[in-house]
Amino acid sequence: MLSEINDLIEKKSYWIAVEKIIVIFKKHPSLLEKLFGLELSQKLSSEEQDLYQEFKKIIDKGYNEIIEFAIDTMYNVVRDDSKYDQFVKKFRNKLADYQREKEITLNENEWTDLQLRHRTKEYPACDLSISFDEENLIIKSEVRDLHFKDGNRSWRYGDGFIINFILPRQEELEDCVDSNRFYGLGFSVISGKPLGQLINHSGKYYLRNHEFLNPKIDIFESEKKANYLIKIPWSFLEPFRPLLDGTGGLNIIYTSQNDDQSKTLLQYIPEGHYDSEMTKYRRFAPLHLKQSKNSKIQLTGELENRLLAERKFKIKYVIYSDKEIAKDLTIKISNSKEEAVIEAVKSLQLKKGKNIIEDTISLPSKTSGLLNLIFKLEGAKDWNETCFIYDKDLLSTYEKQLENLEGEDILILNNSIYSIRYRINHLNQLINEFENRDNPKTIAEKFEELPILIKEIEEKKSIFIKGGYLLASFLSPTDNELQPYSIYLPDDFDPKEKYNLMMVFHGSGVDELFPVKMAGEGFGDKGFIIFGPRGRGLSDEYKGQSEIDSVDILKIMQEMFQIDETYAFGFSMGGYGAWRLTFKYPEYFDKAIIIAGYAFKKDRNIPEDDMRNFIGKSKDIDYFVMHGTDDHAVAIGPTDEFIEVLIKECYNVEYIRVEGGGHGNFSFDKELVSWLMKF
């Protein structure tokens, strides 16, 4: 099997190779421990010794990164399985020991140097200097490489940095392994411009540019050198606060793209899933932040909780003073109408260094809702805080109101009730999972929406009555679970009028909310009702129960509204969803729009998942397909092959190959509008 795995890696069939490696690990857990470099709890069998030596050969050929990815994948598969408790504990202990050795200590306004080197290659190489001040985490790097390539998501495919900043809880700091609270940030040159992008926040993919993150990148091709200057504002990394928390977590990864489009990685903390949708956890080296002789007066703190059911709460002020001095702290608390609830002045006697002052705040009896707190100290930057005071009995009241509305067999009424019930359940979940320094604004907004929506049901028997975005839900006939979906109604929506229906399939690692809103802004004024199902797993390719849910909600949409034609729209994994459902359920669709999607994967041999096996169906559907020739995430080759077969089979396909285009980094508005005008 090892020679077969080696051949698969040579052919770049990485997923099949990983799957086969995992099969070996499951059969030989002690081999897995050996490859992790752990102490063995038992002697290796002769068969395992042979396997280990073969793996060593693969690693020595330079394929250690794919082996590491397979090892990490296996660990994430078994980490919550009680059968592997002993192994997981040993593995985590080994990681913790290694990561503690890599801890980084920064003194404010002073530089700490680090190096990133490859174990066998001269290039790439990175010399880093890291510092921080009251405003930013600052990273400078001189990168030496044979090239500095520009491209879509070049922080992932090369050449550029991914920086994972971790916000570990206290117990995670003590464990010193990983956390599901993090910011994943990418820095690279894209389309000739240095860009800083939020990639992932605590397991949810965003891929959004933020101008204030844009780095300074100077490239000196003749010297094989590039200089990076990256500044990450602490205000962006909320709720982490250097003065208050003192220790966070960090991992820095530089990716260099080889000529064959493979990657060479430099990682401060080796991790196969540093930028993966397969796990919500990220590993880290402890990052200690200390004030120095150059530090000035600073103010921050924390509330006992930012979500409050009582009007009395504890508060902690943390103040750094560069000298012993008396200061007045000004406190102002305002409600959402900007009306002052409390205004006070507190006299403080500060010592030199860090001061921690605990206090209690009592609010007037009728205070409720979202509150803004501002704390001022002369010479220091203001500390702004938000909290939300809610009535914990309100959700039970709303639930009783819903029960009084049930009983009529009206589809749109029942789906409106399901939508509110999902919102109540979700709000309860958010409250139960809320951590003391989470942002309460989302919970506040959801509390504000509920009575408005319930009133709409009472008066009009529907929440689907006006234009704009709406989070809704339906009751799955399969398991009686409430499943969320997003819907965007036209601005001038009239339930008596006919509309086209667009079903939007979200990509891997993200939900449907953002894609539906984007499609709504683009098509909401063109006579479309737009909706998107949410996969039971955000990366499950609309297979299994997600496929069943998608068909179920599509049927409901077509019955609940006056529908003319139905369109499928998908990007990336969503493109596969559009191919899959239009080929398997062609009777529900008229047209499909697929951007940078795939109809099959060459490294998988599952007939049910390969849309080539369904050719002959869906010939009455019109397809619009666009794909970039330089797409590293979803290669264009399989799309070329699939479209060629469809054209031979007389399918109605308009196919546009975008020369130099990456993974969706091109505009398709003009071409799509031109295609739509044909009908």
Side-chain angles (χ1 to χ4, degrees):
M1 182 177 278
L2 266 293
S3 61
E4 183 183 355
I5 290 171
N6 196 41
D7 290 342
L8 289 167
I9 294 173
E10 295 276 7
K11 295 174 183 176
K12 297 185 182 179
S13 296
Y14 296 132
W15 278 108
I16 295 179
V18 167
E19 288 169 358
K20 290 186 179 296
I21 291 169
I22 289 173
V23 169
I24 294 175
F25 288 162
K26 284 183 176 178
K27 288 182 178 178
H28 305 285
S30 55
L31 171 66
L32 184 58
E33 293 188 16
K34 181 65 177 175
L35 286 170
F36 274 128
L38 302 174
E39 295 283 339
L40 286 180
S41 58
Q42 60 184 28
K43 200 170 184 179
L44 284 176
S45 67
S46 58
E47 180 187 10
E48 288 170 334
Q49 282 285 4
D50 291 342
L51 283 168
Y52 175 66
Q53 293 303 322
E54 289 299 314
F55 269 120
K56 284 279 290 179
K57 290 178 185 176
I58 292 176
I59 291 170
D60 290 342
K61 286 183 69 175
Y63 300 126
N64 57 304
E65 287 166 2
I66 194 67
I67 303 295
E68 288 173 3
F69 182 84
I71 290 170
D72 283 352
T73 300
M74 184 62 193
Y75 165 67
N76 284 304
V77 168
V78 305
R79 66 182 295 161
D80 296 320
D81 189 333
S82 59
K83 291 186 298 184
Y84 294 89
D85 279 350
Q86 184 179 5
F87 160 71
V88 169
K89 183 178 179 181
K90 290 175 69 175
F91 173 52
R92 291 181 68 83
N93 287 341
K94 186 71 176 180
L95 284 176
D97 290 343
Y98 173 77
Q99 289 170 199
R100 287 191 186 99
E101 290 175 2
K102 301 278 283 185
E103 69 180 1
I104 304 165
T105 298
L106 303 182
N107 294 312
E108 187 173 7
N109 297 313
E110 298 176 7
W111 294 100
T112 296
D113 295 332
L114 301 175
Q115 289 185 332
L116 299 182
R117 295 289 188 270
H118 194 271
R119 68 185 187 91
T120 59
K121 298 179 180 180
E122 180 181 0
Y123 296 102
C126 299
D127 291 321
L128 298 130
S129 295
I130 308 177
S131 184
F132 80 101
D133 57 25
E134 190 178 0
E135 301 288 336
N136 301 293
L137 175 66
I138 307 165
I139 299 173
K140 297 191 299 187
S141 181
E142 179 182 279
V143 180
R144 296 184 298 283
D145 206 350
L146 300 175
H147 49 69
F148 299 97
K149 296 184 179 181
D150 178 327
N152 179 231
R153 306 186 190 188
S154 43
W155 35 262
R156 175 181 289 167
Y157 304 113
D159 299 330
F161 281 98
I162 287 178
I163 296 175
N164 288 333
F165 186 87
I166 288 73
L167 296 77
R169 303 166 182 86
Q170 185 57 43
E171 63 272 18
E172 292 169 336
L173 270 178
E174 293 168 2
D175 288 345
C176 196
V177 177
D178 55 19
S179 174
N180 61 0
R181 288 160 48 100
F182 65 90
Y183 288 86
L185 307 169
F187 302 92
S188 62
V189 176
I190 299 176
S191 300
K193 183 179 179 181
L195 291 181
Q197 297 180 305
L198 173 63
I199 306 168
N200 192 319
H201 182 204
S202 298
K204 187 173 182 180
Y205 270 76
Y206 283 89
L207 298 184
R208 294 179 191 170
N209 299 336
H210 293 279
E211 191 169 344
F212 59 82
L213 287 176
N214 288 350
K216 182 180 180 183
I217 303 176
D218 296 315
I219 298 174
F220 306 93
E221 294 279 3
S222 61
E223 300 177 41
K224 300 177 183 175
K225 181 178 78 173
N227 292 331
Y228 280 71
L229 175 61
I230 296 167
K231 292 185 177 182
I232 307 170
W234 295 119
S235 58
F236 185 70
L237 299 175
E238 276 284 334
F240 185 84
R241 297 166 188 172
L243 180 61
L244 174 66
D245 296 299
T247 300
L250 188 68
N251 196 11
I252 301 175
I253 302 96
Y254 184 79
T255 303
S256 176
Q257 183 186 149
N258 302 321
D259 291 337
D260 63 357
Q261 295 190 354
S262 63
K263 297 184 293 187
T264 298
L265 295 178
L266 304 178
Q267 299 186 77
Y268 189 68
I269 297 295
E271 180 181 13
H273 290 270
Y274 65 92
D275 178 35
S276 172
E277 298 157 17
M278 297 175 67
T279 175
K280 293 184 177 181
Y281 290 89
R282 296 293 185 267
R283 294 183 197 155
F284 62 88
L287 177 68
H288 305 295
L289 303 161
K290 297 183 177 181
Q291 277 62 48
S292 67
K293 62 183 180 181
N294 299 315
S295 299
K296 304 299 182 184
I297 189 165
Q298 297 173 31
L299 166 67
T300 187
E302 68 174 340
L303 308 186
E304 175 185 10
N305 203 315
R306 298 175 78 183
L307 183 63
L308 301 165
E310 305 293 337
R311 292 172 179 82
K312 184 177 181 180
F313 57 90
K314 294 179 181 178
I315 188 168
K316 178 166 67 177
Y317 309 107
V318 182
I319 301 169
Y320 179 84
S321 180
D322 53 355
K323 59 187 174 183
E324 187 175 320
I325 191 171
K327 287 277 187 179
D328 287 339
L329 177 69
T330 302
I331 304 166
K332 183 177 181 180
I333 302 177
S334 306
N335 61 24
S336 57
K337 297 178 181 179
E338 299 184 358
E339 299 167 337
V341 175
I342 284 181
E343 291 183 294
V345 176
K346 188 177 183 68
S347 296
L348 304 174
Q349 184 64 44
L350 302 177
K351 65 181 183 181
K352 184 177 181 180
K354 184 183 284 190
N355 297 260
I356 299 175
I357 302 160
E358 296 185 347
D359 197 6
T360 300
I361 290 180
S362 297
L363 298 170
S365 59
K366 293 185 179 181
T367 306
S368 64
L370 204 60
L371 300 180
N372 184 41
L373 297 80
I374 302 175
F375 303 90
K376 293 178 179 287
L377 192 72
E378 184 185 355
K381 183 181 176 183
D382 293 353
W383 168 33
N384 292 280
E385 189 60 270
T386 303
C387 69
F388 179 62
I389 300 176
Y390 73 102
D391 182 347
K392 57 186 177 183
D393 296 324
L394 264 181
L395 294 183
S396 297
T397 301
Y398 294 149
E399 184 61 50
K400 288 176 182 176
Q401 287 179 263
L402 283 186
E403 291 173 4
N404 293 332
L405 293 168
E406 292 177 324
E408 296 184 67
D409 188 17
I410 303 173
L411 182 63
I412 201 163
L413 169 62
N414 289 332
N415 277 275
S416 296
I417 292 171
Y418 296 148
S419 298
I420 303 304
R421 184 157 286 131
Y422 172 81
R423 285 167 174 262
I424 292 172
N425 293 346
H426 185 226
L427 192 45
N428 268 315
Q429 180 184 352
L430 289 176
I431 291 170
N432 291 334
E433 295 176 355
F434 192 88
E435 298 186 41
N436 68 315
R437 285 167 61 189
D438 288 346
N439 193 327
K441 288 184 178 179
T442 298
I443 290 177
E445 290 167 359
K446 292 183 181 301
F447 264 104
E448 188 177 337
E449 290 171 345
L450 277 173
I452 298 171
L453 293 170
I454 291 173
K455 187 176 180 181
E456 288 176 354
I457 299 177
E458 290 173 338
E459 294 179 352
K460 300 184 179 180
K461 297 186 183 298
S462 174
I463 60 172
F464 306 98
I465 57 176
K466 57 186 177 184
Y469 172 81
L470 191 65
L471 177 65
S473 179
F474 75 101
L475 189 68
S476 167
T478 306
D479 56 12
N480 287 321
E481 292 287 333
L482 290 172
Q483 292 303 315
Y485 65 93
S486 288
I487 185 167
Y488 196 105
L489 298 173
D491 293 340
D492 57 352
F493 177 70
D494 181 347
K496 297 176 183 177
E497 294 292 322
K498 261 196 170 185
Y499 296 92
N500 288 328
L501 181 67
M502 180 174 289
M503 185 177 190
V504 175
F505 296 89
H506 63 76
S508 177
V510 298
D511 62 27
E512 82 294 345
L513 190 152
F514 184 68
V516 168
K517 285 186 174 180
M518 289 293 291
E521 292 171 6
F523 293 94
D525 61 349
K526 295 178 175 63
F528 280 89
I529 293 173
I530 296 156
F531 83 99
R534 183 178 303 176
R536 298 275 180 122
L538 296 184
S539 300
D540 65 5
E541 298 183 309
Y542 299 96
K543 296 184 286 192
Q545 189 58 48
S546 292
E547 177 180 317
I548 296 168
D549 288 344
S550 297
V551 176
D552 286 338
I553 185 55
L554 175 57
K555 292 177 184 177
I556 290 171
M557 291 289 104
Q558 291 178 334
E559 186 178 348
M560 201 159 67
F561 301 108
Q562 303 295 317
I563 300 302
D564 186 7
E565 290 191 317
T566 298
Y567 291 61
F569 180 97
F571 165 72
S572 192
M573 186 194 82
Y576 176 72
W579 282 124
R580 184 180 181 90
L581 268 76
T582 57
F583 268 73
K584 295 187 70 176
Y585 309 94
E587 64 272 22
Y588 296 113
F589 297 94
D590 299 285
K591 295 177 174 61
I593 301 161
I594 296 159
I595 310 297
Y598 52 93
F600 65 94
K601 288 191 173 181
K602 286 191 172 183
D603 61 355
R604 295 185 188 176
N605 187 26
I606 304 173
E608 173 71 11
D609 298 340
D610 188 334
M611 294 305 103
R612 291 175 296 183
N613 296 321
F614 293 85
I615 288 176
K617 302 180 73 174
S618 74
K619 283 193 172 184
D620 292 331
I621 297 175
D622 297 297
Y623 287 93
F624 175 87
V625 183
M626 286 185 77
H627 209 130
T629 59
D630 198 28
D631 191 331
H632 297 297
V634 178
I636 193 173
T639 299
D640 287 341
E641 180 182 328
F642 191 62
I643 297 297
E644 183 179 352
V645 176
L646 294 185
I647 291 172
K648 286 180 181 178
E649 293 291 326
C650 300
Y651 276 74
N652 302 316
V653 183
E654 180 158 330
Y655 181 39
I656 299 173
R657 303 174 87 253
V658 183
E659 290 299 325
H663 194 51
N665 67 328
F666 48 82
S667 172
F668 52 85
D669 294 354
K670 183 179 177 181
E671 293 84 353
L672 181 55
V673 169
S674 176
W675 178 73
L676 290 171
M677 293 295 289
K678 295 178 182 179
F679 305 105

